């Protein structure tokens, strides 16, 4: 994927789907991150008002137990390869 092909809306949707799969509210997700990722960040990312930086993508992937490639929309698989 080239940078120009990045679709923030797809990333936002994937973050939201993965969070919902855990059964977490944004507030719960913030707590699960040890407050490393505040609730406001979750909201901005899920509404495509901002995109997570690389370090946050890795943190999200760990917390949500999905590959970074899934969050970026490079794969539809939620399983680590």
């Amino acid at each position: 994927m080239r940078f120009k092909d990045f679709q923030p809306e797809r990333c936002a949707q994937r973050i939201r789907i993965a969070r919902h799969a855990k059964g977490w509210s944004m507030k719960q997700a913030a707590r699960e991150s040890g407050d490393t990722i505040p609730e406001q960040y979750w909201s901005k990312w899920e509404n495509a008002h901002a995109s997570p930086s690389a370090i946050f993508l890795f943190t999200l992937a760990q917390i949500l137990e999905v590959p970074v490639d899934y969050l970026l929309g490079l794969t539809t698989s939620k399983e680590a390869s």
Side-chain angles (χ1 to χ4, degrees):
M1 175 174 82
R2 296 177 306 221
F3 181 74
K4 69 177 189 162
D5 297 329
F6 176 70
Q7 297 178 356
E9 296 81 15
R10 180 178 291 158
C11 184
Q13 179 184 36
R14 295 289 178 86
I15 293 169
R16 185 172 39 259
I17 288 168
R19 180 180 58 79
H20 284 171
K22 293 292 226 176
W24 297 340
S25 66
M26 287 184 196
K27 184 176 289 232
Q28 288 171 304
R31 275 190 299 230
E32 290 293 328
S33 77
D35 292 319
T36 302
I37 303 175
E39 186 178 348
Q40 297 86 343
Y41 284 29
W42 290 91
S43 178
K44 286 180 182 181
W45 295 337
E46 290 187 19
N47 291 301
H49 294 286
S51 295
S53 66
I55 190 69
F56 280 125
L57 273 172
F58 285 107
T59 304
L60 284 169
Q62 288 180 329
I63 293 166
L64 297 170
E65 298 177 325
V66 296
V68 171
D69 284 355
Y70 172 78
L71 294 176
L72 291 174
L74 299 176
T75 182
T76 57
S77 175
K78 295 180 187 176
E79 303 297 320
S81 53

